[in-house]
Short mmCIF file of all heavy atoms in Angstrom, two decimals:
data_model
loop_
_atom_site.label_atom_id
_atom_site.label_comp_id
_atom_site.label_asym_id
_atom_site.label_seq_id
_atom_site.Cartn_x
_atom_site.Cartn_y
_atom_site.Cartn_z
N HIS M 1 25.39 -16.18 8.09
CA HIS M 1 25.58 -14.74 8.20
C HIS M 1 26.97 -14.34 7.73
O HIS M 1 27.13 -13.30 7.12
CB HIS M 1 25.37 -14.28 9.64
CG HIS M 1 23.94 -14.32 10.05
ND1 HIS M 1 23.12 -13.25 9.86
CD2 HIS M 1 23.19 -15.29 10.59
CE1 HIS M 1 21.91 -13.56 10.30
NE2 HIS M 1 21.93 -14.79 10.74
N SER M 2 27.98 -15.15 8.03
CA SER M 2 29.32 -14.78 7.61
C SER M 2 29.46 -14.89 6.10
O SER M 2 30.25 -14.19 5.50
CB SER M 2 30.37 -15.62 8.32
OG SER M 2 30.19 -16.98 7.99
N ALA M 3 28.69 -15.78 5.47
CA ALA M 3 28.74 -15.90 4.02
C ALA M 3 28.11 -14.68 3.37
O ALA M 3 28.53 -14.26 2.30
CB ALA M 3 28.01 -17.17 3.58
N ASP M 4 27.10 -14.12 3.99
CA ASP M 4 26.43 -12.93 3.45
C ASP M 4 26.23 -11.95 4.59
O ASP M 4 25.23 -11.98 5.28
CB ASP M 4 25.09 -13.33 2.82
CG ASP M 4 24.36 -12.15 2.21
OD1 ASP M 4 24.99 -11.07 2.07
OD2 ASP M 4 23.18 -12.28 1.90
N GLY M 5 27.19 -11.07 4.80
CA GLY M 5 27.13 -10.13 5.91
C GLY M 5 25.94 -9.20 5.84
O GLY M 5 25.50 -8.65 6.83
N ARG M 6 25.37 -9.03 4.65
CA ARG M 6 24.22 -8.14 4.51
C ARG M 6 23.01 -8.70 5.26
O ARG M 6 22.24 -7.94 5.81
CB ARG M 6 23.89 -7.93 3.04
CG ARG M 6 24.95 -7.11 2.32
CD ARG M 6 24.63 -6.98 0.89
NE ARG M 6 24.74 -8.30 0.29
CZ ARG M 6 24.40 -8.60 -0.95
NH1 ARG M 6 23.95 -7.68 -1.74
NH2 ARG M 6 24.53 -9.82 -1.42
N THR M 7 22.83 -10.01 5.27
CA THR M 7 21.72 -10.61 5.99
C THR M 7 21.83 -10.28 7.47
O THR M 7 20.86 -9.88 8.10
CB THR M 7 21.70 -12.14 5.80
OG1 THR M 7 21.62 -12.40 4.41
CG2 THR M 7 20.53 -12.76 6.51
N HIS M 8 23.02 -10.43 8.02
CA HIS M 8 23.25 -10.14 9.43
C HIS M 8 23.01 -8.66 9.71
O HIS M 8 22.34 -8.31 10.68
CB HIS M 8 24.67 -10.53 9.82
CG HIS M 8 24.99 -10.27 11.25
ND1 HIS M 8 24.54 -11.08 12.26
CD2 HIS M 8 25.70 -9.28 11.84
CE1 HIS M 8 24.96 -10.61 13.42
NE2 HIS M 8 25.67 -9.52 13.18
N ALA M 9 23.53 -7.79 8.87
CA ALA M 9 23.39 -6.35 9.07
C ALA M 9 21.93 -5.94 9.01
O ALA M 9 21.47 -5.10 9.79
CB ALA M 9 24.21 -5.58 8.05
N LEU M 10 21.17 -6.51 8.07
CA LEU M 10 19.76 -6.15 7.95
C LEU M 10 18.99 -6.57 9.20
O LEU M 10 18.22 -5.79 9.75
CB LEU M 10 19.16 -6.80 6.71
CG LEU M 10 17.66 -6.57 6.50
CD1 LEU M 10 17.39 -5.07 6.32
CD2 LEU M 10 17.15 -7.33 5.31
N ARG M 11 19.21 -7.80 9.66
CA ARG M 11 18.53 -8.25 10.88
C ARG M 11 18.91 -7.40 12.08
O ARG M 11 18.09 -7.08 12.92
CB ARG M 11 18.85 -9.71 11.16
CG ARG M 11 18.16 -10.66 10.23
CD ARG M 11 18.42 -12.08 10.62
NE ARG M 11 17.77 -12.98 9.69
CZ ARG M 11 17.87 -14.27 9.76
NH1 ARG M 11 18.58 -14.84 10.71
NH2 ARG M 11 17.25 -15.04 8.88
N TYR M 12 20.18 -7.05 12.16
CA TYR M 12 20.65 -6.21 13.26
C TYR M 12 19.97 -4.84 13.23
O TYR M 12 19.50 -4.36 14.25
CB TYR M 12 22.18 -6.06 13.14
CG TYR M 12 22.80 -5.21 14.20
CD1 TYR M 12 23.03 -5.72 15.47
CD2 TYR M 12 23.17 -3.90 13.95
CE1 TYR M 12 23.61 -4.95 16.45
CE2 TYR M 12 23.75 -3.13 14.91
CZ TYR M 12 23.97 -3.65 16.16
OH TYR M 12 24.55 -2.88 17.14
N ARG M 13 19.90 -4.23 12.08
CA ARG M 13 19.28 -2.91 11.98
C ARG M 13 17.78 -2.97 12.24
O ARG M 13 17.21 -2.08 12.85
CB ARG M 13 19.58 -2.28 10.63
CG ARG M 13 21.03 -1.86 10.54
CD ARG M 13 21.37 -1.28 9.22
NE ARG M 13 22.82 -1.10 9.16
CZ ARG M 13 23.41 -0.09 8.59
NH1 ARG M 13 22.69 0.82 8.00
NH2 ARG M 13 24.71 0.00 8.59
N LEU M 14 17.13 -4.02 11.75
CA LEU M 14 15.70 -4.17 12.02
C LEU M 14 15.45 -4.36 13.51
O LEU M 14 14.48 -3.82 14.06
CB LEU M 14 15.12 -5.35 11.24
CG LEU M 14 14.95 -5.13 9.74
CD1 LEU M 14 14.53 -6.43 9.07
CD2 LEU M 14 13.95 -4.03 9.46
N ALA M 15 16.33 -5.11 14.17
CA ALA M 15 16.18 -5.30 15.61
C ALA M 15 16.34 -3.98 16.34
O ALA M 15 15.60 -3.68 17.27
CB ALA M 15 17.23 -6.31 16.11
N ARG M 16 17.30 -3.16 15.93
CA ARG M 16 17.52 -1.86 16.55
C ARG M 16 16.35 -0.91 16.31
O ARG M 16 16.07 -0.05 17.13
CB ARG M 16 18.80 -1.20 16.02
CG ARG M 16 20.04 -1.84 16.49
CD ARG M 16 20.20 -1.54 17.93
NE ARG M 16 21.49 -2.02 18.40
CZ ARG M 16 21.79 -2.11 19.65
NH1 ARG M 16 20.94 -1.76 20.57
NH2 ARG M 16 22.95 -2.57 20.02
N ALA M 17 15.66 -1.06 15.18
CA ALA M 17 14.56 -0.16 14.85
C ALA M 17 13.24 -0.60 15.47
O ALA M 17 12.29 0.19 15.50
CB ALA M 17 14.40 -0.07 13.34
N SER M 18 13.16 -1.80 16.00
CA SER M 18 11.87 -2.31 16.48
C SER M 18 11.33 -1.55 17.68
O SER M 18 10.12 -1.29 17.75
CB SER M 18 11.97 -3.80 16.81
OG SER M 18 12.85 -4.01 17.89
N VAL M 19 12.18 -1.16 18.62
CA VAL M 19 11.68 -0.45 19.80
C VAL M 19 11.20 0.97 19.44
O VAL M 19 10.10 1.35 19.82
CB VAL M 19 12.73 -0.45 20.93
CG1 VAL M 19 12.27 0.41 22.09
CG2 VAL M 19 12.97 -1.88 21.40
N PRO M 20 11.98 1.77 18.69
CA PRO M 20 11.43 3.08 18.30
C PRO M 20 10.17 2.96 17.45
O PRO M 20 9.24 3.76 17.60
CB PRO M 20 12.57 3.72 17.50
CG PRO M 20 13.79 3.04 17.93
CD PRO M 20 13.38 1.64 18.30
N ALA M 21 10.13 1.96 16.58
CA ALA M 21 8.94 1.77 15.75
C ALA M 21 7.73 1.42 16.62
O ALA M 21 6.59 1.77 16.29
CB ALA M 21 9.19 0.69 14.71
N SER M 22 7.98 0.74 17.73
CA SER M 22 6.86 0.38 18.61
C SER M 22 6.25 1.63 19.25
O SER M 22 5.05 1.64 19.55
CB SER M 22 7.31 -0.59 19.69
OG SER M 22 8.17 0.06 20.63
N GLY M 23 7.03 2.68 19.43
CA GLY M 23 6.49 3.93 19.94
C GLY M 23 5.49 4.54 18.98
O GLY M 23 4.41 5.00 19.37
N VAL M 24 5.83 4.52 17.71
CA VAL M 24 4.92 5.02 16.68
C VAL M 24 3.67 4.14 16.61
O VAL M 24 2.55 4.63 16.51
CB VAL M 24 5.63 5.08 15.31
CG1 VAL M 24 4.67 5.47 14.21
CG2 VAL M 24 6.80 6.05 15.36
N ALA M 25 3.89 2.82 16.69
CA ALA M 25 2.75 1.89 16.66
C ALA M 25 1.83 2.12 17.85
O ALA M 25 0.60 2.08 17.71
CB ALA M 25 3.25 0.45 16.65
N SER M 26 2.40 2.39 19.02
CA SER M 26 1.56 2.60 20.20
C SER M 26 0.72 3.88 20.05
O SER M 26 -0.44 3.91 20.47
CB SER M 26 2.39 2.65 21.47
OG SER M 26 3.23 3.79 21.48
#
């Protein structure tokens, strides 16, 4: 992750979006 900060940032943002997205999925 430190070699490519974008990978870390993408995973972090996807993790943050998972709960709101689950509301739409429900």
Side-chain angles (χ1 to χ4, degrees):
H1 288 271
S2 62
D4 181 12
R6 291 177 293 173
T7 303
H8 180 76
L10 177 62
R11 287 185 181 178
Y12 179 79
R13 288 178 188 217
L14 287 173
R16 288 289 186 193
S18 65
V19 174
S22 70
V24 174
S26 66

